[in-house]
Amino acid sequence: MYNLPYHKEENEQVINEFVARYPFAFLAGSDSENKPVATQVPVFIEEKEGRKILRGHIMRNTDHHKAFLHNENVLVVFTGHHTYVSATWYSNPDTASTWNYMSVHIKGIIRFLDNAALEDVLRKTSLHFENYNHQSPTVFDNLSAEFKRRVMNAIVAFEIEIKEMDTVFKLSQDRDAKSYESIKEHLKQQGEDGKVIAAEMEKRTKKVFPDDEY
């Protein structure tokens, strides 16, 4: 991860909202032979006894499940919209083009949980992606007992104790005001990724360029 202070997001609420908005994360670790393993799963940040944790579920007996049983240290990466930024948009184009993006990296200790916790995870996950429609036939509580039994035998819930959290919200904060405005305007003409990044830059304009400088 690029460790540049002007690309950091320090606001805890903004970080929590980002994780909640982009819950489909990369979950990575290493196996008994120190080979990397990874999977992508929905993971949710929660409060437990005054500390933050992540909870989710994966299939049993996969390479990553076995690896996490062997090595409990994991990395979870949440990523959002991202977009190319052309140097032709800068006030001085004699520099490198780049990429704007937002990312949260969490390092922690993974522990696997019992079936009661698995029910909680499946209930939360299904409700979240069904827009909290409790009447949806696919939310956990509305599934048949037989189906739930078969599904739950194949998966396992986990909890990750958060040890470190870092961020990169690379949104052209290191550019001059003229370039910053130009980048925003060009991105507004792009597709969804560009428009979302432009909106994020707009939110931060006053912080990046205080009133007496902008």
Side-chain angles (χ1 to χ4, degrees), residues 16 57 59 70 106-107 161 173 178 180 195-196 206:
N16 289 343
H57 68 280
M59 289 187 67
H70 170 77
I106 293 176
K107 295 178 182 178
E161 180 184 357
Q173 298 97 321
K178 183 178 178 181
Y180 196 85
K195 288 181 171 62
V196 170
K206 295 296 184 182

Side-chain angles (χ1 to χ4, degrees), residues 24-42:
F24 194 56
F26 286 91
L27 175 61
S30 60
D31 65 14
S32 59
E33 298 178 354
N34 290 321
K35 294 179 180 178
V37 296
T39 188
Q40 289 174 262
V41 291

Side-chain angles (χ1 to χ4, degrees), residues 80-127:
H81 291 76
H82 53 87
T83 188
Y84 175 71
V85 175
S86 173
T88 63
W89 305 342
Y90 302 160
S91 57
N92 176 14
D94 188 22
T95 186
S97 298
T98 190
W99 210 268
N100 276 5
Y101 66 96
M102 297 172 288
S103 181
V104 173
H105 288 206
I106 293 176
K107 295 178 182 178
I109 303 298
I110 191 169
R111 299 183 179 89
F112 291 99
L113 308 174
D114 59 21
N115 274 356
L118 177 58
E119 287 191 12
D120 287 341
V121 168
L122 294 177
R123 182 175 294 108
K124 178 169 185 173
T125 302
S126 59
L127 280 170

Side-chain angles (χ1 to χ4, degrees), residues 1 45 59 62 64 80 108 115 147 166 189:
M1 169 173 279
I45 194 165
M59 289 187 67
T62 54
H64 42 282
N115 274 356
F147 181 79
D166 207 351
Q189 309 308 313

